Amino acid sequence: MNYINTMATGAKRPKVDYGSEMNPLQNFLQWCNTVGLRLSHKVCVSKEGTVAEYGMLAKDNIEEGEVLFTIPRSAVLHQETTKVSAVLEKEKSSLESSSGWVPLLLALLYEYTSSQSQWKPYLSLWANFKTLDHPMFWSKEERDGLLRGTGIPEAVETDLANIQREYTNVVLPFIRKHPDLWNPGTHTLELYTQLVAFVMAYRLDSLKMVCVRPIHKGEEVFNTYGQLANWQLLHMYGFTEPHQSNSNDTVDIPIINLYKVATQGVQSDLARQLVEEKWEMLLELMQEKATFVFGNQGCLTDTELHSVLKVLCMSEEEFSEFKDHEGWEEDEEDEISLAFSYEGLPGLNASWKWLIHEAARLTASSYGDWEEGGSAPEGLSSRQQRALQVRCGQRSILHRLMELTKS
């Protein structure tokens, strides 16, 4: 996230006349001075030399621990500082939702469309939300084609369904109740969805930015997102890192793939019935859409994977005893973690390795082959390039996993 984007909820200002002849960035910087936002003399804000729209560049070498900017607490836009704070507070019981964001989003709906907004110099940096390019703004065909197998299309469909339900059931009735402040024709589901993405990508967790590593003069300064895989970065923030340099990349292997592999080659009806019984029991312990997560060091959901493999590989007698005793004594967690690390995987018994190998192969086959069509990276669209980083990162983990578990 670049500098301007870290100012996720903007800032409050006194009534100052910002000349219309100034460009949005000049307006914003003048406004920052007015509200008391303190910017280090070692950085500047620019649209040149940055990876996206506006960004922060180092004018001098910056050491770890230096404060790059500080935002006054009174300068943060949220439901308690907006002009419509009184009505939001008065009727907050009617604004409860699973996301918990409705009051903030209603504040943003009002301020973003108000010509008199105290945050206009900040919000004007986004005259529209065309720079927001989260997969939720891609066509369904594009998502399904470019991101097939990554888990993102399914996550986006869930997001869009939740957003529409929240807008229809909570936001729209409230808007219609206050036609003097909001208008369904202006404050649409489309704008609400854009503001959800805006909050996801640009919201602050703190009121100052502190340098966590030395930055050289001329480098762009970025906000950290934490330890996130590329699919999470693209889903929530609309960008990716080069997959080779993202040490936090992960891939999900659906539990259903293990079931499909376990049923391969089953000949007799009795054997198939045994697999079905095991599967039904496993579904009592976890959801059918559950996944096993593998990262760059091994399985991150090792305890769950251990349990599933143990059940699927039981003989009929072992499974009967397992049911009679309603489970088993769990192995030590440290032992399980080691067994499902990349160092330990080759030492698993053959039947477990085969299930993991084939489930990984089945997962890899779900991606499709559009990126193998011969297009050079520079010939791809920005969306194709980002999708490629997600898919290549996930496939590299799957290929490593298959290599470590091959017979």
Side-chain angles (χ1 to χ4, degrees):
M1 181 186 295
N2 58 31
Y3 164 63
I4 294 296
N5 295 345
T6 65
M7 307 274 308
T9 47
K12 184 177 179 181
R13 69 176 178 93
K15 294 183 178 179
V16 176
D17 181 22
Y18 295 100
S20 59
E21 72 279 359
M22 298 175 67
N23 66 41
L25 180 55
Q26 290 173 323
N27 266 333
F28 172 72
L29 293 175
Q30 180 178 325
W31 171 71
C32 287
N33 290 331
T34 302
V35 301
L37 185 150
R38 296 194 298 275
L39 186 66
S40 168
H41 68 277
K42 290 189 175 183
V43 295
C44 67
V45 181
S46 174
K47 289 187 73 172
E48 298 179 2
T50 60
V51 297
E53 287 298 300
Y54 302 100
M56 175 189 282
L57 296 176
K59 296 165 58 178
D60 198 351
N61 292 335
I62 302 171
E63 299 300 322
E64 180 179 344
E66 291 192 52
V67 176
L68 303 182
F69 67 77
T70 303
I71 307 172
R73 190 169 296 277
S74 61
V76 177
L77 166 57
H78 54 84
Q79 59 265 36
E80 295 177 7
T81 58
T82 176
K83 187 177 180 180
V84 293
S85 60
V87 67
L88 294 177
E89 174 61 25
K90 181 180 179 181
E91 302 186 33
K92 63 181 180 181
S93 61
S94 68
L95 301 178
E96 295 179 356
S97 68
S98 58
S99 75
W101 285 7
V102 170
L104 172 60
L105 290 166
L106 281 166
L108 282 169
L109 281 172
Y110 176 83
E111 298 293 346
Y112 184 75
T113 56
S114 172
S115 60
Q116 302 301 314
S117 173
Q118 301 178 73
W119 290 270
K120 185 177 179 181
Y122 168 66
L123 296 172
S124 292
L125 292 173
W126 290 271
N128 56 54
F129 289 106
K130 299 300 183 185
T131 56
L132 292 176
D133 201 27
H134 300 56
M136 68 166 58
F137 301 121
W138 303 9
S139 68
K140 187 177 188 305
E141 293 72 24
E142 222 173 357
R143 282 197 302 271
D144 292 345
L146 297 180
L147 299 171
R148 176 184 171 188
T150 65
I152 296 178
E154 296 80 2
V156 169
E157 290 301 319
T158 299
D159 289 344
L160 291 176
N162 289 338
I163 291 169
Q164 182 170 12
R165 182 166 53 250
E166 183 173 89
Y167 179 84
T168 302
N169 296 342
V170 182
V171 176
L172 192 55
F174 184 82
I175 285 177
R176 287 174 172 161
K177 188 177 177 181
H178 300 281
D180 55 323
L181 299 175
W182 291 277
N183 179 352
T186 301
H187 303 110
T188 61
L189 172 61
E190 179 183 12
L191 180 58
Y192 189 78
T193 303
Q194 291 170 334
L195 288 172
V196 169
F198 181 73
V199 171
M200 285 171 62
Y202 302 147
R203 179 175 62 157
L204 280 177
D205 299 323
S206 62
L207 296 178
K208 63 182 178 181
M209 176 180 273
V210 180
C211 185
V212 296
R213 67 164 178 83
I215 301 173
H216 299 297
K217 180 179 179 180
E219 284 189 308
E220 185 173 2
V221 180
F222 296 94
N223 191 24
T224 178
Y225 287 85
Q227 298 178 339
L228 297 179
N230 265 342
W231 79 265
Q232 294 169 308
L233 292 175
L234 183 57
H235 172 219
M236 295 188 290
Y237 303 117
F239 78 98
T240 58
E241 295 180 358
H243 70 91
Q244 302 93 331
S245 61
N246 188 344
S247 60
N248 301 305
D249 234 348
T250 62
V251 65
D252 291 359
I253 295 181
I255 186 176
I256 190 70
N257 284 1
L258 279 169
Y259 166 72
K260 291 177 180 178
V261 171
T263 59
Q264 289 178 6
V266 175
Q267 300 294 328
S268 68
D269 290 339
L270 286 177
R272 180 170 292 277
Q273 182 180 348
L274 179 60
V275 173
E276 294 295 339
E277 288 182 18
K278 293 176 180 178
W279 178 243
E280 289 177 9
M281 172 169 286
L282 289 172
L283 290 185
E284 294 177 4
L285 303 176
M286 54 190 69
Q287 297 180 349
E288 188 171 359
K289 293 184 179 180
T291 61
F292 303 109
V293 184
F294 282 85
N296 286 309
Q297 302 297 321
C299 185
L300 304 179
T301 51
D302 44 42
T303 302
E304 293 84 353
L305 179 58
H306 174 265
S307 298
V308 171
L309 291 173
K310 196 166 187 176
V311 170
L312 289 177
C313 292
M314 284 178 176
S315 65
E316 183 177 0
E317 293 75 20
E318 289 171 333
F319 185 61
S320 177
E321 183 179 350
F322 171 77
K323 290 189 296 181
D324 291 342
H325 290 83
E326 297 184 349
W328 62 74
E329 293 185 5
E330 288 290 349
D331 295 336
E332 292 291 333
E333 289 188 10
D334 289 345
E335 293 179 3
I336 295 175
S337 296
L338 179 60
F340 290 98
S341 68
Y342 287 143
E343 290 76 17
L345 282 173
L348 292 177
N349 67 56
S351 60
W352 289 25
K353 286 198 295 183
W354 180 79
L355 281 172
I356 294 173
H357 184 277
E358 290 301 303
R361 184 189 57 78
L362 189 58
T363 303
S365 70
S366 70
Y367 288 82
D369 297 320
W370 70 263
E371 71 267 34
E372 297 174 2
S375 297
E378 60 270 15
L380 301 178
S381 70
S382 61
R383 289 180 177 179
Q384 288 175 323
Q385 290 179 31
R386 281 174 276 151
L388 186 63
Q389 295 301 333
V390 174
R391 293 158 67 106
C392 286
Q394 292 188 348
R395 276 184 156 180
S396 67
I397 295 174
L398 289 171
H399 290 159
R400 184 180 182 188
L401 184 57
M402 287 187 282
E403 184 66 23
L404 291 171
T405 54
K406 67 182 181 181
S407 300

